[in-house]
Each structure stands twice: as C-alpha cells, then as structure tokens.
Amino acid sequence: MDHVDLKAVAEWMSGQGLGEGPLEDVSDVTGGTQNVMLRFTRSGRPSVLRRGPRHLRPRSNSVILRETKVLAALARSDVPHPHLIAGCDDPSVLGDAVFYLMEPIDGFNAGEGLPPLHAGDASVRHQMGLSMADALAKLGAVDHVAVGLADFGKPEGFLERQVPRWLSELESYNEYEGYPGPEIPGIEEVSTWLESHRPTNWKPGIMHGDYHAANVMFSRTGPDVVAIVDWEMCTIGDPLLDLGWLLATWRQPDGTAVFSHALGGQDGLASTEELFERYAAHTARDLSHISWYTVLACFKLGIVIEGTLARACAGKAEKEVGDQLHAATVHLFERAVTLIDRAP
C-alpha cells in the first residue's frame, strides 16, 4: 500500500464529490494481475482502486485509461462487469500513475479456488461454463459505436493483421540471448491454413481479448458470472475470437487444458461443444467459421506464452515456468493441427 498515496486519493475524491474523511479498512486486493488494486471504504461506500504495476511500464497508464473507457461504455449494457465509480486521468495525483475506482464485486475467481457449493455440486460447475458463454454472447451483442467506442480500435483489416502480427511477435523472441528459436511443430501449417481460410465477412464489436475462466468472477451463491474482469487486452475487433479463445482454453474432451486452475481440474464441466451451442443460442453472428477462430486462438495464445520461454532463456523469467509454458504452446499447436484436419 506504500505505492499509493492514500491522502492524495482522498483529496482527489473530495474534489469529485466522492465522500469525505479518511480512507478506512484499506487492504490489498490480490489476484493474477500485476496491476495494483486496493479496497477501502469512505463515507460508508466501499471502493476498489486499480492502477498500473508498482513499476510502471511504457503503456501502463494508457492501458488503465482504456479499461476506464470500456467500463464506462458498458455501464448501460447487460454485460456483467465491474461498475465504474470514477476515473482519474491525471498521473500527477499519484505522482506517476492514472487510476480508476470501481465498485467491489461480490464474487470469487475460479482460478484461485472454489467455495463449498461449487466444489461439491457438479451441476453447479456445469452451469458455470454455460454462464461464461452467456456473458460472452452479451458482450458480443453490444453495439460499440452506440456506447461510444467507435474510435477505440481499428477493426478495418483486423483479421488480416492477426497472422503477420503474431509471427512478427514470435520473430522478436530471437532477440533474447540463449533462446534457440521456436521449436513449435506445425507452426507453418497452421499459419498457412489461417491465411488461406480467413473469413471474409464479419461484424466488428467489443473484444475482451483474454476470455478464460480465471478472468471472470462467479457468484458465491450459484453458477452465474457476476463480472468479466481484467480488460487490459480489450479492443474493437472480431468478438468471435473471444469465443475461439474460450473454446481453446477450456478443458478439452480428452481432459487436457492449457491453464491449470481450480475449476479446470473438476469433473462435471460443460463440454466445448455445449459452450459453443450455448453461445450460438444467444447470438445473431455467423458461427460457420468457428474452427478458424479456435485455431487462431491456439496460434495466438501459443505464441504469447512462448515468450516466457524466450525470457527464461535470457534469465528474465523462471526456467521451470518457461518450460511448462513451452509445453503448453506445443500442445496448443497440436490441437490447432487436429482442428484443421477436422475442419469442413
């Protein structure tokens, strides 16, 4: 908490008409994010402050400002999300970082553990996945222009940019000393297939960018998603890539999963086919190319997490974690090749 000037936050809140007096019951909010989050109460109203990491990166402030804009835009939608209280775009208030305040979420992150209700009832766990599909369909249905996000991304050419963009990212890993280069079977086959089978007609919308089970909060009293969180990767693109991402990261029919977390290790989960069918029942989007989006998700995620191995080879990340994620990358590309072989 020494990285947030609480007195400065209190003064700024007073100027915004957000209560009076000191910030009370201050505590750190932990989770998978590197961003700093604090919970506190003022004038009887609980709030959560979110800012960039303690040691800001070049884009940290712009990412927080983008999150603020998205949450403000979603306020009039039925998408479950953290409700924005106010945002501060002046980095001088905290000395270096912009921030925003949101209402606390009464829920839990399934990546960290399951409450007794969810751990003990397979039918509840089954519905959790279906609720994730429901929440994603609601996000995909939002008219981004109508809610003020017309200039939030560059949807023109979005799908055309994907393969070159991520192959370039993979190429950049060669700058890390000690990295032997990508030893990823199938990468040429997958990238060639993605380029030759790219959908030509699609409708732009809000994309979360990293939609998986550890980036939502579930109700403590049932299976419903009460908030989609961690909007750092959000943009205006093709929302069906979010669906592909969910299908790629969900536990597969053979029991394997990219990410190991509390929910993924349980039985009774909805199948990827059920997730797809649930989304299909709540969308007007053309889902005939869903295999392509799922392959793209495997391709993109595999390249993203391969970066940890590259950094580990240069001593900038733990070698054990790098090796684990590289194995996940290989697995993702194996899955992509299998999807290609089965694609109509």
Side-chain angles (χ1 to χ4, degrees), residues 73-312:
L74 292 175
R76 297 174 298 280
S77 76
D78 62 353
V79 177
H81 67 281
H83 293 283
L84 182 70
I85 296 173
C88 176
D89 60 5
D90 179 2
S92 69
V93 173
L94 291 182
D96 60 350
V98 299
F99 64 92
Y100 62 84
L101 302 180
M102 55 184 166
E103 294 178 1
I105 300 158
D106 184 13
F108 71 93
N109 185 319
E112 298 176 3
L114 302 181
L117 169 67
H118 304 69
D121 191 333
S123 65
V124 171
R125 293 193 298 274
H126 187 266
Q127 288 293 326
M128 289 169 76
L130 301 180
S131 181
M132 283 191 66
D134 290 342
L136 190 59
K138 289 176 180 177
L139 178 62
V142 174
D143 182 336
H144 67 283
V145 176
V147 297
L149 296 177
D151 61 348
F152 193 72
K154 299 172 183 171
E156 298 81 10
F158 176 81
L159 294 185
E160 289 81 358
R161 291 194 299 270
Q162 293 305 302
V163 172
R165 158 77 178 86
W166 294 104
L167 287 178
S168 174
E169 178 78 3
L170 185 62
E171 178 69 24
S172 74
Y173 299 160
N174 290 317
E175 298 170 6
Y176 286 99
E177 188 176 348
Y179 179 58
E183 297 174 357
I184 306 171
I187 191 157
E188 290 186 12
E189 178 184 352
V190 172
S191 56
T192 300
W193 184 86
L194 283 169
E195 288 289 66
S196 61
H197 290 77
R198 185 172 55 242
T200 52
N201 294 309
W202 59 280
K203 182 181 178 183
I206 303 172
M207 263 185 65
H208 179 270
D210 191 18
Y211 194 75
H212 59 87
N215 277 344
V216 300
M217 302 285 283
F218 290 97
S219 167
R220 298 185 190 280
T221 58
D224 293 341
V225 170
V226 291
I228 303 171
V229 297
D230 286 348
W231 293 84
E232 296 174 40
M233 308 293 289
C234 186
T235 190
I236 303 304
D238 190 335
L240 291 186
L241 181 51
D242 275 342
L243 177 58
W245 203 269
L246 172 61
L247 299 177
T249 55
W250 196 251
R251 193 171 73 188
Q252 302 300 298
D254 62 3
T256 59
V258 185
F259 301 127
S260 58
H261 53 69
L263 182 61
Q266 301 280 340
D267 61 5
L269 300 187
S271 67
T272 50
E273 183 64 28
E274 286 177 298
L275 297 184
F276 171 75
E277 290 173 355
R278 185 65 166 250
Y279 186 98
H282 294 89
T283 187
R285 293 181 180 275
D286 176 7
L287 301 181
S288 58
H289 292 92
I290 191 57
S291 292
W292 188 88
Y293 291 99
T294 310
V295 170
L296 177 59
C298 292
F299 172 84
K300 178 179 172 180
L301 179 56
I303 289 175
V304 168
I305 62 180
E306 175 74 4
T308 303
L309 175 63
R311 289 189 289 275

Side-chain angles (χ1 to χ4, degrees), residues 19-52:
E20 293 297 335
L23 308 187
E24 301 173 322
D25 304 321
V26 183
S27 62
D28 288 305
V29 177
T30 58
T33 177
Q34 293 183 335
N35 288 315
V36 173
M37 292 200 291
L38 293 179
R39 179 172 179 148
F40 58 83
T41 302
R42 191 186 204 209
S43 297
R45 182 183 189 181
S47 300
V48 172
L49 179 149
R50 180 170 165 99
R51 54 151 284 176

